[in-house]
Amino acid sequence: MMNNKYKVLLIEDDANIRSVVTTLLETEGYQVIWAGTCQLALALFASHRPDIAILDLGLPDRDGMQFLEYVRRDSLMPVIVLSARSGDRDKVTALDAGANDYVTKPFSSDELLARIRMILRNYHHRADSGKLPGGKFRVRDLVIDYDARQVFIDGREIKLSQTEYNIVALLSEHCGKMMTYAAIIRGVWGYPDEGSTKKLQVNMANIRKKFGVRPGEARYITNELGVGYRMNGERDDG
Ligand code: CA
């Protein structure tokens, strides 16, 4: 991945963080363009068509959420929020507004790079193949056969209920993206009701058990408590 040519739009008004992130990304071969205000970010988004944006929310002219909302009117460009706001509600709001992931400051360089790789890989894979949800999905030793509705780990079939399968398939279609509880519930059940979140958590616990994942381990699916779930498209990060 040292020679990738992805163009990253870094939206950050703090010069120190900007410098750290820019160095980090350039070392990995990314091309970085940056903006210190929401207004400049929108101009660069329009003129440079970046592959991905890393978005600070606390910007001097406008809230970074406005950039996200504007971009999402007609673009699927991946956006990773990188913010000091660490509340569940901030994360859920940004994710439901279309952010692909949310990283809080202070952040780990390795983790930020892993999230960027995961999102870009999945985004471009889907754009290239364009035959969702047919075919197969693979991440490490986990394989999903969408046509047969079967899931395998290390070649062994994992027997899932219909609902459990639907959850796993949905997460895999958005691999690398942190999906909020509400987004998963909409995708699987179509509508939320009082017990939806509990129902989702129960199903997820069963899935993890069937996958042979110990509590707290994030092998295939990461749970961010109070926020949602992400299928990991990278090496083991838990
Ligand atoms: Ca800021």
Side-chain angles (χ1 to χ4, degrees):
M1 281 297 260
M2 293 300 283
N3 209 11
N4 69 70
K5 289 285 193 288
Y6 288 119
K7 197 188 298 171
V8 182
L9 172 56
L10 174 61
I11 305 156
E12 173 63 74
D13 60 318
D14 182 309
N16 289 324
I17 295 177
R18 208 159 61 209
S19 156
V20 167
V21 175
T22 299
T23 303
L24 180 69
L25 293 174
E26 287 180 348
T27 304
E28 293 292 311
Y30 293 98
Q31 182 192 343
V32 180
I33 50 177
W34 64 265
T37 63
C38 192
Q39 195 182 0
L40 180 57
L42 287 170
L44 290 179
F45 166 69
S47 59
H48 285 65
R49 291 290 154 190
D51 296 293
I52 187 168
I54 298 175
L55 174 66
D56 177 32
L57 296 180
L59 297 168
D61 56 340
R62 279 178 246 168
D63 193 285
M65 283 297 293
Q66 290 190 24
F67 173 84
L68 179 61
E69 283 155 12
Y70 181 88
V71 163
R72 277 294 170 268
R73 284 182 207 164
D74 68 352
S75 168
L76 292 173
M77 173 186 69
V79 175
I80 298 180
V81 171
L82 180 62
S83 176
R85 298 178 197 167
S86 58
D88 290 351
R89 194 170 302 170
D90 294 310
K91 295 179 187 173
V92 168
T93 302
L95 293 165
D96 278 340
N100 296 69
D101 212 335
Y102 197 109
V103 177
T104 51
K105 296 170 183 169
F107 61 97
S108 128
S109 302
D110 286 346
E111 177 161 23
L112 181 62
L113 287 173
R115 304 270 187 104
I116 292 171
R117 276 197 305 269
M118 215 192 283
I119 286 170
L120 282 173
R121 195 180 71 167
N122 189 55
Y123 182 76
H124 288 280
H125 171 72
R126 286 173 66 195
D128 288 349
S129 63
K131 49 171 179 153
L132 223 82
K136 286 186 183 175
F137 170 88
R138 172 190 289 275
V139 56
R140 297 196 307 277
D141 57 353
L142 173 75
V143 172
I144 302 172
D145 182 331
Y146 291 123
D147 294 329
R149 295 176 62 85
Q150 285 175 310
V151 176
F152 302 86
I153 289 180
D154 208 10
R156 183 172 55 91
E157 190 188 350
I158 308 296
K159 293 279 185 193
L160 299 176
S161 72
Q162 290 296 321
T163 301
E164 290 161 5
Y165 173 84
N166 289 338
I167 294 169
V168 171
L170 180 70
L171 288 173
S172 74
E173 285 163 19
H174 300 273
C175 183
K177 182 182 186 328
M178 175 62 74
M179 296 192 73
T180 62
Y181 299 137
I184 299 170
I185 288 162
R186 271 197 306 275
V188 172
W189 287 282
Y191 59 90
D193 61 36
E194 256 178 53
S196 291
T197 303
K198 183 75 198 157
K199 205 158 57 175
L200 173 59
Q201 286 167 341
V202 168
N203 275 284
M204 198 58 78
N206 289 336
I207 291 167
R208 292 164 69 88
K209 209 177 299 167
K210 291 179 181 181
F211 280 10
V213 178
R214 283 185 295 273
E217 203 182 21
R219 221 151 96 216
Y220 306 101
I221 296 167
T222 297
N223 177 18
E224 184 153 355
L225 279 177
V227 178
Y229 295 95
R230 179 197 324 106
M231 180 165 282
N232 298 313
E234 277 278 319
R235 286 190 323 105
D236 217 329
D237 64 351

